[in-house]
Amino acid sequence: MLCAISGEPPQEPVANKNTGTVFEKRLITAHISQNGTDPTTNEPLSADDLIDLQSSRIVRPRPPHITSIPALLGVFQNEWDALALESFQLQQQLQQTRQELSTALYQNDAAVRVIARLTRERDEARSALAKVGVTEASAGGDEMVDSTGLSDELQKVVDVTHEKLSKTRRKRPVPEDWATEEDIQSFKPEGIDSDEAKGAQAIAIDAARDLVLFGGADGSAQAYSIEQEKPLHVFEGDGGKVTDVVWSGARAIIASSTGAVRVYDDGNEIEKFEQHAGSAVAVAMHPSGDILGSVGVDKSIVFYDITSSKIASQIFTNSALTAAAFHPDGNLFAAGGADGQIKIFDVKTGSSAAEFDTTSSIQSLAFSENGIWLASVSKGESSITIWDLRKMAQIKGLDAGSPVSSIRWDYTGQFLAIASSSGVTVFQYSKSSKEWSETLKAAVPCVAAEWGQQAKSLVVLSKKGALAKLS
């Protein structure tokens, strides 16, 4: 009984039930799967047509060609040749795989480069979009603004102011009638009968005239006389929330969430700047009184020439800005960013002078009158950081115990007033002992605080927008 395909005795014999032809099951099954016919007749054949046959297992005799040593050597030679051929084929496959991997890595690297370029172009486009501002002048046609620095006239103002103030600052004594530690420790809260400005978050004091400037969420603001216990002027806004206020001599300056910065004199609006493409978050006045600075969510700093009512310069940064302050000598301007970075610029040229990193968005900034310290606080935090401009490093941390809204130094640089959700705290720095101490802790929750004349009082703004006085 021989297999019709191999011609050898089958190990697992099966027969075609139609023709009786005997096959090796392994061979005929493979043939049917490929062709579906009987290899001897070419007639259709399926596995169901096969019948298993019972037979005794056959032990194959050793082939005659491997019964001698030369024959065995021939077999080994053939096996070696097959092994060498298989090794060569594997090496070819390995080389091909390496080439495919190299091509895939090159394509991946090219894709990464393209993605990086597109990301950079996207960021540049976003930055350019953020720098788009309102270029319409308020009174006399269109006005082009850049960040090349201040004009020669304003640079001279900065130089003169810096030279005048910096020479006397270190040797300047504390005025004889200035508030002492004992005076501040005795401060008690007194109510001020003023109308509430809901949503108000900033105040400014004209100490010489005892006027408090503040505004609310409806866009209106008022100059309130503490002495006369009534508002002297009411300023109607444009519907945007009042974000910050400052005095420029007798002029009231009000920033709005619409991006407008308005200037009022004797209750009348005399100028309106709309340079920010978004909310104007904070404003600050130069010590000379001739230059105003504002920052906004459009990532820009705008300097205004108050005397000529023109835009003096505009500086763009890489983050929305949330706080602003001029150095007491007038040569530096600090801007706090939503990215937690404090950016300090040269006022004349607009170039970056220094940077300090904090943990989160800057809430408030204040330069000390000693000219070498900058105080900052981040949004939602109770800790105030004191930076040394000479060492370019943090030198002290003060804890108010609750989230801080604003911070203000007094004229002498020895008292730091802190407005927080739990009340007003005043820290004192002693030059003789070089130590900090807590001078006042008043449970008057507020969002802003300003020093009164000779630091003998503090005017605070409550969360409801009402004024109060500590004296």
Side-chain angles (χ1 to χ4, degrees):
M1 186 169 58
L2 301 176
C3 173
I5 297 176
S6 64
E8 296 182 356
Q11 297 296 314
E12 293 183 80
V14 294
N16 184 342
K17 67 180 181 181
N18 298 322
T19 62
T21 307
V22 177
F23 301 99
E24 174 69 56
K25 185 175 183 179
R26 171 177 54 82
L27 299 177
I28 189 59
T29 301
H31 183 83
I32 291 174
S33 64
Q34 294 179 1
N35 304 297
T37 60
D38 186 317
T40 59
T41 63
N42 288 330
E43 294 180 357
L45 181 65
S46 66
D48 296 335
D49 296 329
L50 300 178
I51 302 173
D52 292 331
L53 302 179
Q54 299 293 329
S55 65
S56 58
R57 190 167 185 82
I58 300 173
V59 178
R60 293 183 178 182
R62 179 175 297 178
H65 65 276
I66 59 172
T67 55
S68 63
I69 292 177
L72 287 173
L73 292 177
V75 171
F76 293 154
Q77 181 64 45
N78 292 337
E79 291 292 337
W80 171 256
D81 292 344
L83 183 61
L85 179 60
E86 182 180 5
S87 177
F88 174 76
Q89 291 174 344
L90 289 175
Q91 289 179 352
Q92 281 186 321
Q93 293 176 0
L94 176 61
Q95 182 64 24
Q96 183 179 1
T97 302
R98 284 178 173 173
Q99 291 177 349
E100 292 174 354
L101 178 59
S102 176
T103 302
L105 291 175
Y106 175 81
Q107 292 174 345
N108 178 75
D109 181 70
V112 169
R113 292 175 182 271
V114 170
I115 292 172
R117 177 175 57 81
L118 292 176
T119 302
R120 184 177 66 255
E121 292 176 354
R122 180 203 65 187
D123 294 340
E124 291 174 351
R126 286 180 175 176
S127 177
L129 181 62
K131 294 178 182 179
V132 175
V134 181
T135 58
E136 181 182 355
S138 57
D142 292 340
E143 187 176 76
M144 296 302 291
V145 180
D146 56 31
S147 57
T148 56
L150 300 180
S151 64
D152 293 340
E153 292 79 5
L154 287 181
Q155 288 194 25
K156 186 176 181 180
V157 170
V158 174
D159 287 336
V160 170
T161 303
H162 175 259
E163 182 178 2
K164 177 182 177 181
L165 297 178
S166 61
K167 281 185 177 180
T168 60
R169 185 171 307 284
R170 301 291 291 178
K171 299 179 181 180
R172 186 177 65 194
V174 176
E176 292 182 1
D177 55 352
W178 205 257
T180 63
E181 179 182 2
E182 291 75 16
D183 292 333
I184 295 177
Q185 287 175 342
S186 65
F187 279 1
K188 302 296 181 183
E190 302 174 9
I192 296 178
D193 188 18
S194 64
D195 295 333
E196 292 184 355
K198 294 183 178 179
Q201 58 188 32
I203 59 173
I205 289 186
D206 181 351
R209 297 187 298 164
D210 215 17
L211 290 179
V212 182
L213 178 63
F214 65 108
D218 61 355
S220 65
Q222 59 179 292
Y224 186 87
S225 172
I226 298 178
E227 182 181 358
Q228 300 180 30
E229 298 184 350
K230 66 177 183 179
L232 292 188
H233 302 291
V234 176
F235 313 106
E236 297 297 332
D238 55 2
K241 180 180 179 180
V242 174
T243 55
D244 202 6
V245 294
V246 69
W247 287 104
S248 174
R251 295 179 177 181
I253 299 175
I254 301 171
S256 168
S257 61
T258 63
V261 177
R262 289 177 165 81
V263 182
Y264 296 86
D265 190 6
D266 198 24
N268 300 314
E269 182 179 313
I270 61 171
E271 195 57 64
K272 177 182 177 182
F273 302 102
E274 295 182 289
Q275 190 61 33
H276 286 290
S279 177
V281 181
V283 288
M285 201 66 210
H286 190 267
S288 66
D290 294 340
I291 303 171
L292 172 71
S294 68
V295 299
V297 296
D298 61 352
K299 307 179 182 180
S300 76
I301 301 167
V302 181
F303 291 137
Y304 310 86
D305 184 348
I306 296 299
T307 57
S308 63
S309 298
K310 292 182 179 180
I311 307 295
S313 178
Q314 188 166 15
I315 305 167
F316 292 99
T317 68
N318 58 1
S319 171
L321 302 176
T322 57
F326 274 105
H327 187 276
D329 291 341
N331 59 329
L332 299 176
F333 182 85
D339 59 355
Q341 193 174 69
I342 302 171
K343 314 166 200 297
I344 300 179
F345 295 89
D346 184 292
V347 174
K348 295 192 300 180
T349 64
S351 59
S352 177
E355 291 180 348
F356 299 112
D357 292 322
T358 66
T359 56
S360 59
S361 177
I362 303 300
Q363 175 68 30
S364 182
L365 294 172
F367 280 103
S368 170
E369 282 291 329
N370 65 15
I372 57 176
W373 288 351
L374 171 66
S376 71
V377 64
S378 296
K379 187 166 295 185
E381 293 191 1
S382 62
S383 178
I384 299 92
T385 302
I386 309 297
W387 306 90
D388 191 314
L389 301 181
R390 300 167 302 178
K391 301 177 181 178
M392 299 296 292
Q394 175 183 345
I395 60 170
K396 183 65 178 178
L398 304 172
D399 197 341
S402 60
V404 175
S405 300
S406 73
I407 47 180
R408 289 293 183 271
W409 294 92
D410 77 321
Y411 172 73
T412 64
Q414 58 180 329
F415 298 113
L416 178 62
I418 300 167
S420 69
S421 58
S422 64
V424 180
T425 305
V426 175
F427 285 98
Q428 180 185 12
Y429 177 75
S430 172
K431 292 184 179 179
S432 58
S433 65
K434 296 184 178 181
E435 295 291 336
W436 288 86
S437 61
E438 185 179 290
T439 303
L440 175 68
K441 189 78 169 180
V444 183
C446 56
V447 295
E450 289 285 348
W451 290 100
Q453 194 167 14
Q454 299 170 345
K456 292 185 177 181
S457 66
L458 273 170
V459 177
V460 300
L461 180 66
S462 72
K463 294 180 180 179
K464 295 182 179 180
L467 296 177
K469 185 178 180 181
L470 297 173
S471 60

